[in-house]
Amino acid sequence: MSTARATATADQLDPPRSSPDLDVRELEKRTRLMRIITRLIAVSDLGSREIARRAGLPVQKISDLLAGRLEHLGVDELHALRRTLELEAP
């Protein structure tokens, strides 16, 4: 079997996935928010647990953000974090 046929067969078995998380504009928006939030966290005197508590989010979401795992955070969660941290800014 040629490589071309094997690839075509594999494509039929596993069609391309469509995901709303892969929208470029959405990812750009989330990336900009992530950069702003990580800077705010860096200058904040608050720890991850306190930030998560004040934003009403699980601590794991803060860990995901700091590790760059944007797929685990929605725009609403990022906005909540930004508002929380901006209230604490000196």
Side-chain angles (χ1 to χ4, degrees), residues 1-12:
M1 183 190 277
S2 73
T3 306
R5 277 193 214 156
T7 303
T9 304
D11 288 343
Q12 290 173 355

Side-chain angles (χ1 to χ4, degrees), residues 53-66:
R53 185 188 68 75
R54 291 181 184 194
L57 297 171
V59 177
Q60 184 60 43
K61 295 283 185 172
I62 307 300
S63 297
D64 291 338
L65 172 77
L66 295 174

Side-chain angles (χ1 to χ4, degrees), residues 36-63 65-66 73 77-89:
I36 291 167
I37 293 165
T38 53
R39 286 183 192 132
L40 289 169
I41 289 172
V43 299
S44 172
D45 292 332
L46 301 174
S48 294
R49 288 182 189 212
E50 184 61 21
I51 292 168
R53 185 188 68 75
R54 291 181 184 194
L57 297 171
V59 177
Q60 184 60 43
K61 295 283 185 172
I62 307 300
S63 297
L65 172 77
L66 295 174
L73 292 131
E77 293 170 322
L78 291 168
H79 280 298
L81 279 168
R82 183 178 182 179
R83 282 190 302 272
T84 300
L85 290 163
E86 285 178 338
L87 291 173
E88 297 301 319

